[in-house]
């Protein structure tokens, strides 16, 4: 299937007849909405999405719940929403790994057929962190130690085949170093392991930032295009010589395929109001996450372009899991 055909197929989910949910005459929403968040409680994503859900509750006039579904490389939300009733009351965060893993293994959903894109939200500020007492003062120190001790330096990540994991794989390949990749279910699980010296370093999001500010962790690099204003002394991957590496793993929200266009619009409008809610904007700033709004149509096109880009990445890195 060509990218053009995939775009047409995915776009069609925005206009399919609505046959299983509320009728057009009923007010939407008239009961709670659930958002699947495929990460454990406590990490940056969970914090951001709960702030977003609180704002959405105010704008919808109905409770918006967060249900954590961690595991499987942050794809369990997409897998669950693909099977959910298409009535607008169940949506999921669509992560970058959920668009990547179908190119690596059989998944219980089809990106081009099983979802109604709603809205694109934000991305992450990723970084590699170490404890403040670590001998690694810079990323180059870590690389040098990994070359001296192949197969001994342990670096945590927020999930096997997730963006932090695969970026570390990419960096290790470029530096020709052998590191031990230690996957966790999310940042909330990885950070205690890092603080407890079970791993030498960890790649995750800016949810670790407060620990950096508190002097317990140190960032060795950030993966944004420009340095973070919050940590201006920390170099980007571009500055470290990886001139094509900007990694933010942006995400949005999707519903099951076949959603009534009127319900899709209602979800988009309520979620857009929540995205721009001052309390939520403050959370994004605290987490150093950019606001990256895309409307429904643009997000549908973006999903397919990203899906294709991830296919190319998987092929370039030679990644397969089954």
């Amino acid at each position: 299937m060509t990218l053009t055909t995939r775009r047409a197929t995915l776009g069609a989910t925005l206009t399919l007849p609505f046959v299983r949910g509320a009728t057009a005459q009923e007010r939407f929403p008239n009961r709670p909405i659930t958002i699947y968040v495929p990460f454990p409680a406590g990490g940056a994503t969970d914090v951001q999405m709960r702030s977003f859900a609180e704002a959405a509750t105010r704008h919808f006039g109905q409770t918006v719940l967060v249900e954590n579904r961690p595991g499987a490389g942050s794809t369990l939300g997409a897998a669950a929403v693909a099977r959910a009733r298409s009535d607008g009351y169940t949506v999921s965060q669509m992560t970058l790994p959920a668009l990547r893993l179908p190119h690596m293994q059989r998944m219980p959903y089809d990106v081009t057929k099983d979802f109604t894109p709603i809205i694109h939200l934000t991305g992450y500020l990723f970084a590699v962190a170490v404890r403040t007492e670590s001998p690694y003062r810079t990323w180059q120190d870590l690389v040098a130690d990994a070359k001296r001790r192949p197969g001994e330096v342990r670096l945590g990540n927020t999930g096997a085949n997730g963006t932090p994991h695969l970026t570390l794989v990419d960096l290790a390949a470029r530096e020709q170093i052998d590191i031990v990749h230690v996957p966790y279910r999310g940042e909330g699980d990885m950070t205690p392991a890092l603080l407890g010296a079970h791993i030498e370093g960890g790649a995750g999001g800016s949810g670790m930032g407060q620990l950096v500010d508190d002097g317990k962790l140190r960032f060795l690099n950030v993966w944004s295009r420009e340095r973070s204003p919050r940590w201006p002394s920390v170099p980007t991957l571009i500055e470290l010589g990886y001139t094509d590496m900007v990694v933010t793993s942006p995400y949005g929200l999707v519903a099951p395929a076949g959603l009534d266009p009127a319900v899709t619009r209602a979800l988009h409008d309520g979620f857009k109001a929540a995205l721009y809610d001052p309390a939520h904007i403050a959370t994004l700033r605290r987490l150093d996450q950019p606001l990256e709004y895309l409307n429904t149509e643009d997000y549908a096109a973006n999903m397919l372009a990203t899906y294709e880009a991830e296919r190319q990445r998987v092929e370039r890195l030679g990644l397969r899991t089954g």
Side-chain angles (χ1 to χ4, degrees), residues 22 26-30 33 60 62 87-89 262-264 266-267:
E26 291 179 340
R27 178 184 178 276
F28 178 89
N30 57 23
I33 297 170
F60 281 119
Q62 291 287 340
D87 57 9
Y89 290 98
V263 175
T264 300
L267 284 173

Side-chain angles (χ1 to χ4, degrees), residues 129-250:
V130 296
R131 295 179 302 283
T132 51
E133 62 270 24
S134 168
Y136 306 144
R137 307 299 301 180
T138 66
W139 170 250
Q140 293 90 335
D141 290 341
L142 188 153
V143 170
D145 189 40
K147 289 182 177 180
R148 286 192 299 267
R149 300 189 298 132
E152 296 185 34
V153 175
R154 300 161 297 177
L155 295 183
N157 61 68
T158 54
N161 299 311
T163 298
H165 175 208
L166 294 191
T167 302
L168 287 177
V169 169
D170 199 348
L171 288 168
R174 295 179 189 221
E175 293 290 351
Q176 297 183 319
I177 56 176
D178 179 14
I179 59 177
V180 179
H181 297 281
V182 185
Y184 293 88
R185 294 197 307 165
E187 196 172 287
D189 290 341
M190 182 189 72
T191 302
L194 178 56
L195 291 171
H198 301 291
I199 50 180
E200 279 71 43
S206 54
M208 299 184 289
Q210 188 58 52
L211 293 169
V212 174
D213 293 342
D214 292 342
K216 296 180 180 180
L217 295 178
R218 176 170 57 251
F219 282 148
L220 301 184
N221 54 43
V222 292
W223 300 358
S224 48
R225 186 172 299 280
E226 298 177 348
R227 292 194 182 198
S228 167
R230 185 173 172 186
W231 301 288
S233 65
V234 181
T236 66
L237 292 179
I238 292 174
E239 292 175 296
L240 293 174
Y242 313 105
T243 57
D244 61 338
M245 294 189 73
V246 175
V247 184
T248 61
S249 197

Side-chain angles (χ1 to χ4, degrees), residues 87-110:
D87 57 9
Y89 290 98
T90 306
V91 300
S92 178
Q93 178 187 6
M94 174 59 80
T95 64
L96 187 58
L99 300 175
R100 176 188 306 128
L101 279 178
H103 301 301
M104 301 171 63
Q105 63 188 57
R106 186 180 297 276
M107 299 298 291
Y109 57 82
D110 184 330

